[in-house]
Amino acid sequence: MLKNRQTILFFGDALMLGIALAVMLVIRFDLSTQSVLITAQRNIFIVFFILWLVVFFIFDLYNLRRVNPNPRNIGLMVGAMILNIGLAILLLYLFPQSGITPKTNLLIVASVGLVLLVVWRRSFYHLFTARIPQRIGIIGQGPLIDELRKEIIEHAELGVVVRHWTSESQAHNDTVVIDTLIADNVPAQTLIALAEKFDAEPLSLVQAYQTMFAKIPVSLMTNEYALAMVSNEQHRGITFLYRIFEILIATFVLAIASPFVLIAMSAILIEDGKPVIIKQKRVGHRRKIFTIYKLRSMRALAPDGSAEIAGAQWSGKEDTRITKVGKIIRKLHIDEVPQMWNIIVGDIALIGPRPERPELVATLEQEIPYYFLRHSIKPGFTGWAQIKFRYARSILDSKEKFEYDLYYLTNKSPLLDIGIVLKTAQIIFTH
């Protein structure tokens, strides 16, 4: 069944690329008089498409886990398409076609194809995967196993639990058909042997949480796992490119958003007076304290212009301290624009765990194991936890949000970051 779904996914991708080619031909050529050029273009792109589908395979896009239209998987698709464009340009350079330089045509096909592929895969995920779900077997018992099973039941697109055994011996004597085998506290050799028996994919409990929910429960963390996260540093060259990219993006956003920021500042002055911009202390990389800048969206109650007379506190869902202008600029995310300056000067990165107040960090580190790991990388303007969970309004919320941060620390990559940027843009324009 898995192979059948992968085959459908593959031919769907091929069809989307074919439609993108047809769109380009209609836009760029006269179908009645330019048949020779059309045939030449078609032949070139057929070669490209064969190569592109191979690249998709290399990028693991025919693993059914990659069908879920989340930021990481969209990032993978974008990364694959960027590579595809580069390979096509290289082929045209190495093997030039007489009278044919389809640079604009290539960009049209790639752009339209990317949109169609994302739409197709989103449809495949929501329709096909829900109708023919993954059959899951679970071995183990305890709160995390119960939570995992409950989440799978509540989210049918993840699959259906056809068996839940409390021990590996029960699983060994069963003949049920499953696609995925999830186990807790089962020796690796035993788990692999059972997976071979069922012809299923084996997953440990922590792998299952990462695959299905894109987070790592704090209770599954170990000292060895924490050290592995901290030692997983990026190459200096990649870090340098990241820094250049961040500065360019932040400068661009400041330039584009500056008229709206000025309007918002004027509205804040009219409604509630000064200060317009507030400064807050935050904990950054390696616990360095820095100042973050935001447009004021709450009533100025304290002498420093903040809304916190008694120190740092959680913001409620319907916080009465938020002004009328504040509600608007929060909805449009204009209040966050001054943080582009924090990116430019290097206080925060474009992507990373959201920086917290020093007072709250002191409490959270006492209540949440391994919370100190958030400070092993530079905090970010946006991040995996922000797009998956949004606002934390309690210690319990912060704990769950931190579990998404743990996932990011483990899986940090340029492709995941591309997906986060795209998802953040979607949230800004649709929420």
Side-chain angles (χ1 to χ4, degrees):
M1 184 175 68
L2 289 174
K3 294 296 183 183
N4 291 339
R5 280 188 279 183
Q6 288 171 323
T7 301
I8 293 173
L9 185 61
F10 173 83
F11 281 108
D13 284 354
L15 177 61
M16 294 305 107
L17 293 176
I19 294 174
L21 173 60
V23 170
M24 182 276 291
L25 293 175
V26 170
I27 293 173
R28 298 281 291 173
F29 297 96
D30 185 338
L31 302 182
S32 61
T33 62
Q34 295 181 297
S35 58
V36 175
L37 278 176
I38 290 173
T39 300
Q41 293 283 332
R42 183 197 63 195
N43 294 340
I44 290 173
F45 277 99
I46 287 175
V47 174
F48 288 167
F49 291 164
I50 293 172
L51 180 62
W52 290 8
L53 291 170
V54 172
V55 170
F56 289 164
F57 177 79
I58 293 172
F59 271 65
D60 201 29
L61 290 172
Y62 295 107
N63 181 335
L64 292 179
R65 297 181 194 171
R66 305 298 183 205
V67 179
N68 185 349
N70 60 36
R72 183 179 187 182
N73 294 335
I74 293 176
L76 278 173
M77 182 66 72
V78 172
M81 192 58 79
I82 291 173
L83 177 59
N84 285 337
I85 293 173
L87 290 174
I89 292 173
L90 180 63
L91 285 176
L92 289 171
Y93 176 77
L94 294 176
F95 307 102
Q97 304 294 311
S98 179
I100 300 176
T101 54
K103 296 176 183 177
T104 302
N105 300 346
L106 176 61
L107 291 177
I108 292 174
V109 172
S111 301
V112 175
L114 180 60
V115 172
L116 291 175
L117 286 168
V118 171
V119 171
W120 152 242
R121 284 169 169 263
R122 185 180 292 271
S123 301
F124 182 96
Y125 176 75
H126 288 295
L127 297 176
F128 191 86
T129 304
R131 289 170 180 255
I132 310 176
Q134 291 275 349
R135 295 164 297 188
I136 300 170
I138 300 176
I139 304 174
Q141 51 188 330
L144 284 176
I145 285 287
D146 293 340
E147 180 186 344
L148 179 72
R149 182 176 180 180
K150 179 183 176 182
E151 289 288 340
I152 294 173
I153 292 173
E154 291 178 355
H155 299 87
E157 71 275 6
L158 296 175
V160 56
V161 178
V162 296
R163 285 289 192 278
H164 181 187
W165 307 284
T166 57
S167 66
E168 57 263 34
S169 59
Q170 291 179 344
H172 184 74
N173 296 323
D174 205 332
T175 57
V176 69
V177 177
I178 60 174
D179 303 308
T180 303
L181 179 62
I182 301 171
D184 183 30
N185 290 324
V186 173
Q189 185 176 359
T190 304
L191 177 57
I192 293 172
L194 286 170
E196 290 175 349
K197 171 184 179 296
F198 289 113
D199 191 22
E201 180 181 16
L203 293 175
S204 67
L205 191 55
V206 67
Q207 288 175 325
Y209 268 94
Q210 288 195 72
T211 300
M212 295 180 173
F213 310 124
K215 66 179 182 179
I216 300 176
V218 173
S219 55
L220 290 177
M221 285 292 296
T222 64
N223 291 336
E224 291 77 11
Y225 204 17
L227 287 172
M229 287 183 183
V230 173
S231 62
N232 186 23
E233 294 185 359
Q234 287 185 326
H235 189 274
R236 288 185 179 181
I238 295 178
T239 302
F240 176 75
L241 291 176
Y242 259 67
R243 185 76 186 111
I244 297 299
F245 177 74
E246 289 172 349
I247 293 173
L248 291 175
I249 290 293
T251 304
F252 175 77
V253 172
L254 276 178
I256 295 297
S258 56
F260 305 101
V261 171
L262 290 173
I263 293 172
M265 292 172 69
S266 301
I268 293 169
L269 277 172
I270 293 171
E271 181 188 23
D272 203 41
K274 295 181 178 180
V276 172
I277 294 179
I278 60 171
K279 305 174 184 179
Q280 292 181 339
K281 298 297 182 183
R282 296 294 173 98
V283 180
H285 186 208
R286 297 175 180 172
R287 299 180 179 276
K288 178 183 177 182
I289 304 299
F290 68 95
T291 301
I292 202 169
Y293 303 95
K294 298 177 67 174
L295 292 184
R296 184 168 61 85
S297 60
M298 292 186 175
R299 289 181 288 116
L301 301 178
D304 64 353
S306 72
E308 299 169 327
I309 300 176
Q313 55 186 284
W314 302 106
S315 175
K317 189 173 183 180
E318 298 294 334
D319 202 313
T320 56
R321 297 172 296 169
I322 300 175
T323 64
K324 293 179 181 178
V325 172
K327 289 180 180 179
I328 296 173
I329 63 176
R330 282 189 170 208
K331 183 74 174 178
L332 299 176
H333 302 279
I334 296 174
D335 60 319
E336 307 284 356
V337 172
Q339 291 170 44
M340 294 300 108
W341 176 250
N342 289 109
I343 294 177
I344 291 172
V345 299
D347 293 328
I348 63 175
L350 180 63
I351 299 166
R354 191 70 177 145
E356 291 287 1
R357 308 282 293 276
E359 304 92 326
L360 295 178
V361 167
T363 301
L364 293 171
E365 286 189 338
Q366 291 179 353
E367 299 292 335
I368 303 174
Y370 298 100
Y371 194 80
F372 61 87
L373 289 173
R374 295 179 91 251
H375 308 132
S376 63
I377 64 172
K378 190 180 289 188
F381 174 77
T382 186
W384 186 247
Q386 285 83 278
I387 65 174
K388 295 295 288 186
F389 195 83
R390 305 298 293 154
Y391 295 106
R393 297 183 172 91
S394 66
I395 291 177
L396 190 61
D397 284 350
S398 295
K399 176 176 176 291
E400 184 169 357
K401 194 169 183 178
F402 174 57
E403 292 176 342
Y404 289 109
D405 285 328
L406 289 175
Y407 176 88
Y408 179 75
L409 287 169
T410 302
N411 297 278
K412 179 174 169 55
S413 70
L415 293 176
L416 177 57
D417 288 346
I418 289 172
I420 292 172
V421 170
L422 293 174
K423 185 64 176 180
T424 300
Q426 179 191 8
I427 290 172
I428 289 173
F429 290 110
T430 60
H431 287 64

